[in-house]
Amino acid sequence: MAFGYAQYYIVGHIALASNTIPITHNRKLKLNLYPDKEMFNWIFIYAVIICFLMPHAIAQNNTFLLSGTVTDSKNVPLPSATIRIAGSMMGTVCDREGNYHLSVTVGSYKIIFSYIGYEPVTLHITISSDTTITVHLKQTEIRMQEIVVVGEDPALSIIRDALDRKKRQQKLIQTYKARVYTKDTFGTDTALGLISEAYSDLYWQKNDSTREVVVYRRQSSNLPKEFQFALVRNFVNFYDDSIRHWGYTFISPLADSTFRYYDFILRRTFIDRQQRFFEIEVAPKTQTQPLFSGKITIADSSFALMQVTLAPNNIFHIPFFEFKKFEFSQQYSLYDDQYWFPLEYRISAEMYLNYMLLKINQPMYYNKSVICYEYIANAEIDDSIAAIPSLTMLPSAQSYDTTQWTNIKVFPLNPLESNSYSIIEEKMKRMPPLLKMLTNLNEYKPYLDMADVRYNRVEGLFLGVKTSVDLFSVARIHAAAGFGIADEQEKISLQPEITLHPPILLRFGVEFFRDITSFPLNYSAREFLTTLSALFDGEDYYNYFGRRGYAPYISAEVFPSLKTKFQFISAREYSMFKHSDFSLAFIGTKKRFRKNPPVNDGQMRSFRFTAEWKNKVQEDVFFPEPSDSWEMFVEHTSKDLGSEFQFTSVYSEVSVRIPTMGTAMLFYPYIGIAASAGYSDGEIPLQRSFALQSAVMNIAAAHSFRTVSAHEFSGDNFYAAAVEYNFRNIPLLYLDITDWSIDIILRAAAGNVWTKTAGLRSFVHSTNGTYSEYTLGLGRFADVFRFDFSYAPESSRFAVSVLGSY
């Protein structure tokens, strides 16, 4: 069957989509007849969902369905039996019930049904309507040959021949197109909490990434529409040197460097249909590299890889889950008598939720099936395909059309899967409103983003809203307004902006404001965290001052990762004072918030330039590592500008992570380096001071000192640097301790703050030299937390702090 293409315009490019008939794989599961247990399963499944959602055109003309069942002579289904159309690149496999579907056009076909250990059946069939055929395969006598081991294991020679054949095969294939059906399910053995299906066109070119064009999809109603669960993404092919999946990069047993990482043992040799096969055990040589264990089957005469059944080694760990089973399986088929391609691959996992030390003993099951039911080897791929992203959704995939999907004749789901769509829909309707809201947070996200709520000792509770409105294709207005309950002052901000798209992205705008802002300048704690600290810990992290005025600006994105901004600021800056002493930490005590210091009141007119760079975070991982980043600003003001101040201030900060063992693991060992510095020249007002950054509520930011209290060391000049080495759990793996996934981190930090402005010395406190501290960190407790145990020799202080584990 030739690919019939319909043209779609996607993000400015023309993408080619094909007629696609999905094929699926089913897993037999028991139906639960006990309502109480069923309700428990549903509540449990939705609890898991909350945890993780809170980290063609179809050518119907003359196309018919060939379907049926493949069994043995005793009517026992043969899962994964293959169905091939001789002389073509089309085929499929049976599901776990032995069922199959294959979409074909009108014509006569030679169809081969086969399964290792059984005599193949070849049928000549003429298709002119939907046709059902049940095939019974007769088991053949599998003759075992004696294995004589002299010197090295015979498996090593077989693997060498397989590697040589792989290299010849790779030279034959420069491109291919494939039609792929994907199905993902997640749930218990009696109820599915998630089900998602899609079928896509894959386009592959040597020395380029695979392009996946999703043509149609459907998924259970508890998945947000913008969240696509069933995707091929990184297509698994064990002929490749590396297998990237779930954030790990595994070395394949057929990688060119395989003998460095694997031991091979020939377990048996058998003859099936006059063809000899080798079953080889694969064992990893180390637990400190993502590898596989299990078995592979290789054909003798061609030394082609026929089947794999492999599991990740002990380094494989996904946060919040404990795996009892995780298995990859794949089988291959010969096309056009010269090309070996994966016919399908499957992932099956049995796992237990282990979230925040809460382990649920109810097993959960995840199953993924990817079935490639049509290939075109060395096909010409249009330039428009090479220009699209690695993942593209056609307009036809943006919404689910019941009639359309029915007409596609999807490969039949098992009863549990087919019923799950309606069951989940019904459960969503009956779900308590709060739980339903939590599982559909994305629907409420635009409204949540508008809320501007905070708490501090100056404003008390601040209630506000913020929004952005597009006026024309290039114009937008950002607006914010709110009211402080304690200081009884309204704050407003209005920012019209024009965006131009020449070779670089330019924005022109002006901000009018009457609001409150904070210092020291280099503090970077999030507003939400400081609100929690004020309400529950009695520590308001920042100092505050008011300002009113305007600031015209021009910003540019020279590259997607580099942003710059130049602005002129004209503002009256003035002191604000403490108006609230309420904190839950103060109840029953005489404690109060510290005073908010008065700043240097006056008219500020200054030029300010800022720049920010962040590297691109990897998109295809569940837990992306933090970006390497650099930021800086320069501010200059003088009396010549009509300002009551005269100074120049410069600040810069850089943070990088250097992998020490590559990025093969989801969380790889690294050396982290963070450095920052601030320099001032002139008479610096207090509101432009710097400080050594400290923890908030004993929650440490990546750049903060663990043994320093808020604002303890501040001035108009400073520098700080920290270096840490995160070994991850590699030392434990070297000691063959595989039950723990605890990271081990060593960290050293040093900083110095001093003051040249005489008027500041009564308000700030310098370090009087270099201040240093040393830390032992233990990470990935409950897959979430990292605990740092720090000591500062200059002050003889100990501190325990917590931060995010990754």
Side-chain angles (χ1 to χ4, degrees):
M1 178 186 293
F3 275 65
Y5 294 108
Q7 291 185 335
Y8 293 90
Y9 285 86
I10 307 170
V11 291
H13 301 289
I14 299 178
L16 302 182
S18 63
N19 309 331
T20 310
I21 308 298
I23 297 174
T24 190
H25 153 64
N26 295 322
R27 181 179 187 274
K28 187 174 183 180
L29 297 174
K30 298 181 295 183
L31 291 175
N32 186 10
L33 303 177
Y34 300 96
D36 292 340
K37 183 180 178 183
E38 181 186 12
M39 184 57 66
F40 169 79
N41 288 336
W42 277 102
I43 293 173
F44 171 62
I45 288 169
Y46 281 115
V48 173
I49 294 169
I50 291 170
C51 291
F52 291 95
L53 293 182
M54 294 289 292
H56 300 316
I58 298 298
Q60 295 295 331
N61 52 313
N62 299 325
T63 300
F64 299 102
L65 187 66
L66 173 63
S67 61
T69 305
V70 179
T71 71
D72 64 10
S73 57
K74 297 180 180 179
N75 285 326
V76 176
L78 296 177
S80 298
T82 62
I83 298 90
R84 289 287 322 284
I85 296 181
S88 78
M89 302 288 282
M90 291 184 62
T92 188
V93 295
C94 291
D95 65 6
R96 292 180 182 271
E97 318 301 324
N99 299 317
Y100 68 91
H101 268 185
L102 192 61
S103 180
V104 294
T105 56
V106 170
S108 297
Y109 298 94
K110 178 183 177 181
I111 302 179
I112 303 170
F113 300 82
S114 60
Y115 191 72
I116 289 182
Y118 291 78
E119 291 288 347
V121 170
T122 301
L123 298 178
H124 295 270
I125 302 173
T126 299
I127 301 293
S128 58
S129 62
D130 289 349
T131 303
T132 300
I133 297 177
T134 297
V135 176
H136 305 284
L137 300 184
K138 180 181 178 181
Q139 190 169 13
T140 60
E141 179 184 355
I142 298 181
R143 294 172 300 185
M144 307 297 295
Q145 292 195 340
E146 181 181 358
I147 302 173
V148 179
V149 179
V150 179
E152 71 173 16
D153 194 285
L156 301 180
S157 175
I158 296 169
I159 295 297
R160 292 190 191 99
D161 288 333
L163 290 175
D164 183 62
R165 198 217 66 81
K166 181 193 80 168
K167 294 174 183 177
R168 296 197 304 270
Q169 166 81 3
Q170 289 176 334
K171 291 179 181 179
L172 292 176
I173 303 174
Q174 301 300 314
T175 68
Y176 69 75
K177 301 174 184 177
R179 293 176 176 175
V180 180
Y181 170 79
T182 309
K183 180 185 67 178
D184 287 66
T185 63
F186 180 72
T188 68
D189 60 346
T190 58
L192 292 184
L194 301 173
I195 179 169
S196 179
E197 300 172 88
Y199 53 100
S200 314
D201 291 336
L202 295 186
Y203 302 87
W204 178 88
Q205 297 187 72
K206 184 174 288 188
N207 302 321
D208 191 14
S209 61
T210 302
R211 302 293 194 272
E212 178 181 3
V213 179
V214 180
V215 183
Y216 285 109
R217 63 171 181 160
R218 70 170 177 172
Q219 56 194 34
S220 52
S221 59
N222 55 348
L223 284 169
K225 292 181 180 179
E226 64 274 15
F227 181 77
Q228 176 58 32
F229 199 56
L231 290 173
V232 177
R233 278 293 191 181
N234 297 296
F235 184 68
V236 172
N237 184 353
F238 283 90
Y239 267 127
D240 294 336
D241 286 348
S242 61
I243 307 296
R244 183 161 185 83
H245 208 74
W246 284 36
Y248 288 85
T249 302
F250 297 90
I251 296 173
S252 170
L254 284 187
D256 292 341
S257 59
T258 187
F259 295 112
R260 290 174 51 193
Y261 300 101
Y262 289 103
D263 287 321
F264 297 95
I265 302 172
L266 180 60
R267 286 304 182 192
R268 66 174 184 144
T269 299
F270 61 93
I271 297 175
D272 177 24
R273 288 166 275 162
Q274 286 72 53
Q275 169 72 55
R276 186 165 64 161
F277 295 90
F278 305 110
E279 187 175 284
I280 298 173
E281 181 182 337
V282 178
K285 289 184 176 181
T286 177
Q287 295 295 335
T288 61
Q289 178 79 27
L291 300 169
F292 294 105
S293 62
K295 65 180 181 179
I296 61 177
T297 301
I298 294 177
D300 183 7
S301 58
S302 62
F303 290 99
L305 184 62
M306 301 296 296
Q307 288 183 338
V308 304
T309 304
L310 298 170
N313 62 345
N314 290 328
I315 202 171
F316 180 76
H317 173 75
I318 301 298
F320 315 124
F321 284 111
E322 179 182 313
F323 289 95
K324 183 177 180 180
K325 171 191 174 184
F326 196 101
E327 184 177 88
F328 292 86
S329 62
Q330 187 165 52
Q331 62 175 321
Y332 296 77
S333 190
L334 179 63
Y335 296 85
D336 285 348
D337 295 326
Q338 60 178 330
Y339 305 115
W340 287 92
F341 282 116
L343 186 57
E344 50 89 40
Y345 74 85
R346 301 176 187 182
I347 300 172
S348 58
E350 180 181 346
M351 64 192 82
Y352 296 85
L353 178 66
N354 195 353
Y355 183 69
M356 303 281 285
L357 298 179
L358 175 65
K359 182 177 179 180
I360 306 297
N361 290 323
Q362 169 73 46
M364 305 293 295
Y365 297 92
Y366 167 72
N367 288 277
K368 184 181 187 72
S369 300
V370 179
I371 299 179
C372 303
Y373 54 92
E374 185 171 348
Y375 280 102
I376 297 181
N378 295 321
E380 182 178 350
I381 296 180
D382 194 275
D383 290 341
S384 61
I385 295 297
I388 65 176
S390 59
L391 175 65
T392 300
M393 295 277 186
L394 291 186
S396 56
Q398 302 305 318
S399 60
Y400 169 61
D401 186 313
T402 304
T403 303
Q404 197 173 56
W405 190 269
T406 302
N407 290 337
I408 297 169
K409 299 177 181 176
V410 181
F411 192 82
L413 304 177
N414 66 34
L416 179 63
E417 293 167 341
S418 60
N419 292 333
S420 290
Y421 286 103
S422 58
I423 292 174
I424 292 174
E425 178 72 27
E426 183 63 28
K427 295 291 183 181
M428 289 291 291
K429 293 178 181 178
R430 293 163 46 195
M431 189 180 296
L434 179 59
L435 189 59
K436 187 174 182 179
M437 184 183 71
L438 292 176
T439 58
N440 291 279
L441 278 180
N442 284 330
E443 295 183 11
Y444 304 96
K445 190 175 185 300
Y447 305 103
L448 295 175
D449 290 342
M450 290 179 62
D452 188 6
V453 180
R454 60 179 180 258
Y455 181 81
N456 57 64
R457 67 188 187 277
V458 172
E459 299 170 294
L461 178 63
F462 175 85
L463 300 175
V465 294
K466 54 186 177 181
T467 188
S468 296
V469 179
D470 292 324
L471 298 180
F472 309 102
S473 59
V474 297
R476 168 176 286 196
I477 291 181
H478 307 278
F483 185 77
I485 304 300
D487 67 347
E488 298 180 347
Q489 291 187 22
E490 66 277 2
K491 284 84 177 177
I492 59 172
S493 172
L494 188 65
Q495 182 182 344
E497 181 180 78
I498 295 175
T499 302
L500 301 179
H501 295 269
I504 61 175
L505 183 66
L506 293 175
R507 290 188 174 93
F508 301 88
V510 56
E511 183 181 6
F512 303 92
F513 49 82
R514 184 175 69 191
D515 58 13
I516 184 174
T517 190
S518 59
F519 69 97
L521 291 175
N522 61 313
Y523 272 27
S524 59
R526 294 182 178 180
E527 198 168 75
F528 176 71
L529 181 59
T530 59
T531 294
L532 292 181
S533 177
L535 280 173
F536 296 99
D537 194 47
E539 176 61 56
D540 193 350
Y541 191 60
Y542 282 105
N543 293 323
Y544 305 92
F545 67 94
R547 60 174 193 158
R548 56 179 180 268
Y550 62 92
Y553 65 88
I554 177 173
S555 67
E557 293 185 17
V558 184
F559 306 105
S561 54
L562 178 61
K563 299 178 182 179
T564 61
K565 186 176 184 180
F566 181 79
Q567 61 185 148
F568 173 73
I569 301 172
S570 178
R572 168 68 61 177
E573 298 184 350
Y574 50 92
S575 300
M576 300 194 74
F577 302 97
K578 182 179 69 170
H579 291 92
S580 175
D581 272 315
F582 174 78
S583 173
L584 295 175
F586 297 158
I587 295 177
T589 72
K590 296 182 179 181
K591 292 182 179 180
R592 297 291 184 268
F593 284 118
R594 59 187 172 85
K595 293 182 179 180
N596 190 61
V599 300
N600 300 74
D601 293 4
Q603 183 70 33
M604 176 71 71
R605 289 186 174 173
S606 65
F607 290 107
R608 184 181 176 99
F609 174 77
T610 61
E612 178 183 355
W613 173 85
K614 286 187 177 182
N615 70 332
K616 186 177 180 181
V617 176
Q618 199 167 355
E619 298 177 350
D620 61 341
V621 297
F622 289 94
F623 296 87
E625 298 284 349
S627 302
D628 296 338
S629 63
W630 167 77
E631 61 180 283
M632 61 89 66
F633 73 77
V634 179
E635 185 176 21
H636 172 76
T637 183
S638 68
K639 299 188 185 302
D640 294 337
L641 297 174
S643 176
E644 297 180 36
F645 304 94
Q646 185 154 330
F647 65 86
T648 300
S649 183
V650 181
Y651 171 76
S652 183
E653 176 184 297
V654 63
S655 175
V656 297
R657 282 191 173 189
I658 304 170
T660 60
M661 296 183 67
T663 57
M665 291 172 283
L666 179 60
F667 305 111
Y668 53 80
Y670 67 86
I671 295 175
I673 302 172
S676 58
Y679 167 79
S680 299
D681 182 50
E683 294 295 317
I684 304 300
L686 181 63
Q687 59 266 36
R688 294 301 192 274
S689 61
F690 302 103
L692 289 189
Q693 186 163 299
S694 61
V696 186
M697 294 177 63
N698 294 110
I699 300 175
H703 304 209
S704 64
F705 284 77
R706 280 58 166 158
T707 59
V708 172
S709 59
H711 311 287
E712 181 177 359
F713 300 115
S714 55
D716 54 16
N717 291 269
F718 92 103
Y719 64 80
V723 179
E724 73 175 30
Y725 187 18
N726 192 329
F727 295 89
R728 298 299 186 182
N729 63 332
I730 298 300
L732 300 179
L733 293 175
Y734 273 118
L735 296 174
D736 201 29
I737 301 174
T738 59
D739 295 334
W740 297 348
S741 294
I742 295 176
D743 295 343
I744 299 174
I745 307 108
L746 297 178
R747 181 180 185 272
N752 191 1
V753 182
W754 66 97
T755 305
K756 295 190 299 184
T757 303
L760 280 183
R761 289 175 183 156
S762 60
F763 296 98
V764 299
H765 180 208
S766 301
T767 56
N768 296 321
T770 300
Y771 184 92
S772 60
E773 67 179 24
Y774 304 92
T775 298
L776 170 64
L778 298 176
R780 280 200 278 178
F781 276 97
D783 284 323
V784 175
F785 301 112
R786 165 179 161 181
F787 293 95
D788 280 2
F789 303 89
S790 304
Y791 173 70
E794 286 82 10
S795 60
S796 298
R797 294 180 185 173
F798 289 93
V800 179
S801 51
V802 63
L803 62 161
S805 187
Y806 304 110

